[in-house]
Amino acid sequence: MSRSFLKPLRRLAMLAGLATLLAPAAGVRAQEILTLKDTLPSITTTGEASVDVVPNIAILSLGVETERPKAADAANENAKASAAVVADIKAEGIDARDITTLGVTLEPVYDETTDSNGRVVKRTLRGYRARNDLSVKVRQIEKAGALAQQWIGKGANAFGGVEFDYDQKEARYDALRGDAVRDALRKATSYVNGLGIRLGRVVAIASPGGGGYARPVGAAMSARAAPSAAAVAIPIEPGVQTLSVEVEVSWELAQ
């Protein structure tokens, strides 16, 4: 290795040492939080890895909505209808941990009269609307469309859409983290080889994206559903989901 390259490395190391010795008392706290890579000549690269997976879980958003002239009637009838839908969901083998109540609401409903400028000039109470929203995780994804249609027939008169998930994400993310680290190493090696130096010990590893992320896949729908005599399964296609990992690795530059 040429002396001209070693001099800057030695100079950086000496400056880091002097900064520690000469730091005033008021700056000691700031000095303490410096990481090893901040006090040594180092190189940092970002490694990336991703994989496409086919989702195997469908998450359905269903709602039961009831409107009646009296608030008590709307609440009571909605509770009965919602209980019937939940009972049918459980009868299909859906575990209780996969059924989540997203919200229960009761609100007045008004009819509005507007003038020629579109301003509301009169509001008349029409009744009360009760609503119960549910999220149902269907692990047999091939049945999701038929089940959604079945539960609509049982009283779920609002359908909020479907999202997809994959139940082996963590195992895939673990493998992707290793791939991302190897990608970071490949990049760092290509840099130092061109300079005629080598990588030393690893001084920092960080995950900018929090360890991994999935590109969301879902079909957003919002509609009131009315059961028909000849119910047909709702077409649901999961497509693919992209799982991605990014990792930053810092190495000491060795002489």
Side-chain angles (χ1 to χ4, degrees), residues 46-187:
T46 299
E48 301 171 325
S50 63
V51 65
D52 288 341
V53 298
V54 178
N56 53 13
I57 296 174
I59 304 171
L60 305 177
S61 295
L62 303 169
V64 178
E65 190 173 291
T66 308
E67 186 177 322
R68 295 291 180 269
K70 295 182 179 180
D73 291 341
N76 290 335
E77 291 185 33
N78 185 265
K80 291 177 183 178
S82 299
V85 172
V86 171
D88 197 74
I89 291 171
K90 291 180 177 179
E92 289 298 329
I94 306 297
D95 195 286
R97 66 191 175 97
D98 291 331
I99 306 170
T100 304
T101 299
L102 300 177
V104 179
T105 59
L106 176 64
E107 60 185 2
V109 181
Y110 295 92
D111 288 326
E112 296 181 342
T113 303
T114 60
D115 61 16
S116 58
N117 296 318
R119 291 177 298 187
V120 176
V121 295
K122 184 179 179 181
R123 299 180 76 207
T124 305
L125 180 65
R126 187 176 75 207
Y128 293 85
R129 181 183 298 130
R131 182 167 175 133
N132 190 316
D133 289 302
L134 299 169
S135 171
V136 183
K137 189 176 290 186
V138 180
R139 297 182 183 274
Q140 292 178 290
I141 196 169
E142 68 279 0
K143 295 183 178 181
L147 288 174
Q149 189 64 273
Q150 176 180 320
W151 295 329
I152 288 170
K154 292 292 183 178
N157 54 2
F159 183 54
V162 57
E163 294 182 357
F164 300 104
D165 202 358
Y166 181 70
D167 67 355
Q168 298 174 6
K169 275 185 183 178
E170 286 310 310
R172 287 299 185 106
Y173 279 137
D174 286 344
L176 287 174
R177 289 183 189 103
D179 292 340
V181 168
R182 284 185 284 274
D183 184 50
L185 175 60
R186 177 188 61 79
K187 292 176 181 176

